[in-house]
Amino acid sequence: MSNERLKSLLEEYADLEKRLADPAIHADQNTARRVGRRFAELAPIHKAHAELEQAREDLEAARELAAEDPAFAAEAEELSTRLPELEERLAELLIPRDPNDAKDVILEIKAGEGGEESALFAGDLLRMYQRYAERHGWVTEIIEAQSSDMGGVKDVSVAIKTKGVPDGGNGVWSRLKWEGGVHRVQRVPVTESQGRIHTSAAGVLVLPEAEEVDVQIDPNDLRIDVFRSSGPGGQSVNTTDSAVRITHVPTGVVVSCQNEKSQLQNREQAMRILRARLLAVAQEAAAAEASDARKSQVRTVDRSERIRTYNFPQNRITDHRIGFTAYNLDLVLAGDVDGVLDALTEADRAARLAGDTELSRK
């Protein structure tokens, strides 16, 4: 246990508590939300430390009293047994956590191999995440979507947010960060007339949503183009040049939005996605410079790089990174994703305790 780290975090907690008690901070809701999230992250550490200190004081008092009254000996024994548990719990909380855990996310799903069947599966994944968000009381917002001819999804970006400050600093990212990668499906497509099982895939990218203070973007680094929105099959969906394509010239990151009716709204939505992508690029670069073992999420929809398989004939879901298998695929697609996410979270916790920086993505 690092006493210096603990002291620093407790001092930060006390400082944040004072800031939140000042009514002036609530004049800026973005600042209040950011400070509130950090305060919520540190609250479990403050609580665990307070419980440990109280237990130590109680143990000392019980031992002193036991010398005069044997009845306190049992209490002293119980407290001495409880201390290692409290110390271990605090030590776990002091392990550096993912700095993005309290953040909301922008989740992107892209159809890959498999044509229309892949687009239909991408739509299934979108509904799965929307239902999962509903179970947790989160808010979802479709930022950009391109539909397929049969009602599937070619490409979609959806923002998923908590309401208020997440408990314990565990925001949407802390749960959905495991979903980035290639998801493979095995089933009989609706387009298959002979009942043969096909395999196709869709790619998922999860980005922590960046606030303006997280990423500084020089307007001179942006190339902004406008064009006419189009729907499935290429047909025009309006007669004005309201769609927006933004290119961040230094990095080559390109974002397009056409869902909204006005050019200004599409530009604002595109900037949200651009900030999230640039934050991810900056964090990956920082991790690489620090020789961090952190792995990037898969950005190409290649079945050989799959993280998970959804097998419909066997009602089976398998996460290949940790060897997790369950036969409740129907429930998972209905939003009951906690089983596999809990397994991934526990595997990551074990890896961090062992000294690894992140769950290995196989």
Side-chain angles (χ1 to χ4, degrees), residues 250-266:
T251 60
V253 174
V254 180
V255 178
S256 298
C257 276
Q258 63 176 12
N259 268 30
E260 304 297 337
K261 294 182 179 180
S262 79
Q263 188 180 123
L264 178 60
Q265 289 174 315
N266 281 321

Side-chain angles (χ1 to χ4, degrees), residues 55 83 114 116 142 144 153 159 170 176 195 198-199 218 232 241 260 266 281 285-286 296 318-319 322 329-330 344:
L83 274 182
E116 190 64 45
I142 300 293
E144 173 70 0
V153 172
N170 295 312
L176 295 187
H198 286 227
T199 298
D218 186 342
D241 291 337
E260 304 297 337
N266 281 321
V281 169
S296 298
T318 300
D319 194 288
I322 57 173
L329 176 56
D330 54 338
L344 286 160

Side-chain angles (χ1 to χ4, degrees), residues 27-321:
D28 184 343
Q29 287 301 311
N30 288 331
T31 299
R33 182 174 170 84
R34 188 169 62 254
V35 172
R37 282 181 169 179
R38 180 57 177 164
F39 182 75
E41 286 181 34
L42 297 179
I45 294 175
H46 177 268
K47 181 180 179 182
H49 174 260
E51 290 181 357
L52 177 58
E53 289 301 295
Q54 185 62 55
R56 285 172 173 167
E57 290 178 12
D58 291 345
L59 175 59
E60 184 177 352
R63 283 175 172 168
E64 290 178 1
L65 292 170
E68 300 175 3
D69 185 348
F72 286 97
E75 182 179 346
E77 180 65 26
E78 181 182 345
L79 286 167
S80 64
T81 302
R82 186 170 171 240
L83 274 182
E85 298 174 4
L86 294 174
E87 290 170 346
E88 182 179 355
R89 185 166 129 220
L90 181 58
E92 283 190 25
L93 289 170
L94 287 175
I95 297 173
R97 64 184 291 167
D98 188 327
N100 293 320
D101 273 352
K103 289 186 178 292
D104 298 323
V105 308
I106 292 178
L107 187 144
E108 301 180 7
I109 307 173
K110 301 179 185 294
E113 298 180 13
E116 190 64 45
E117 161 62 5
S118 177
L120 291 171
F121 176 54
D124 291 337
L125 290 177
L126 172 61
R127 285 184 289 276
M128 178 182 77
Y129 292 125
Q130 288 174 319
R131 290 164 180 166
Y132 181 72
E134 288 176 6
R135 286 170 176 253
H136 286 264
W138 298 338
V139 178
T140 60
E141 172 195 0
I142 300 293
I143 298 177
E144 173 70 0
Q146 295 182 36
S147 302
S148 68
D149 293 332
M150 294 183 64
V153 172
K154 292 181 180 179
D155 193 342
V156 63
S157 297
V158 55
I160 306 179
K161 297 176 170 289
T162 58
K163 294 180 181 178
V165 176
D167 185 36
N170 295 312
V172 182
W173 173 264
S174 70
R175 296 300 285 170
L176 295 187
K177 60 185 173 182
W178 314 116
E179 296 305 284
V182 173
H183 298 238
R184 183 178 69 167
V185 62
Q186 296 171 325
R187 66 182 176 188
V188 178
V190 294
T191 55
E192 170 59 54
S193 60
Q194 299 182 21
R196 292 175 298 186
I197 295 175
H198 286 227
T199 298
S200 61
V204 175
L205 180 62
V206 187
L207 302 169
E209 179 152 15
E211 300 176 39
E212 291 189 25
V213 295
D214 295 325
V215 179
Q216 300 297 322
I217 299 177
D218 186 342
N220 295 322
D221 288 338
L222 302 179
R223 185 174 70 242
I224 302 176
D225 303 303
V226 295
F227 56 97
R228 190 160 297 175
S229 301
S230 61
Q235 72 268 29
S236 176
V237 295
N238 63 42
T239 57
T240 62
D241 291 337
S242 62
V244 174
R245 180 185 301 110
I246 300 179
T247 302
H248 186 253
V249 177
T251 60
V253 174
V254 180
V255 178
S256 298
C257 276
Q258 63 176 12
N259 268 30
E260 304 297 337
K261 294 182 179 180
S262 79
Q263 188 180 123
L264 178 60
Q265 289 174 315
N266 281 321
R267 177 170 174 160
E268 290 175 349
Q269 298 290 46
M271 286 298 295
R272 288 177 66 185
I273 299 175
L274 179 62
R275 278 194 294 268
R277 291 187 182 177
L278 291 180
L279 178 62
V281 169
Q283 289 178 338
E284 286 177 10
E289 289 176 8
S291 300
D292 201 319
R294 182 176 184 271
K295 307 292 192 300
S296 298
Q297 294 180 45
V298 177
R299 285 172 172 74
T300 57
V301 187
D302 180 346
R303 286 181 299 178
S304 68
E305 297 175 330
R306 69 191 184 278
I307 63 164
R308 191 176 298 156
T309 295
Y310 302 73
N311 184 291
F312 276 68
Q314 298 178 20
N315 197 36
R316 170 173 54 84
I317 180 170
T318 300
D319 194 288
H320 304 287
R321 293 164 292 183

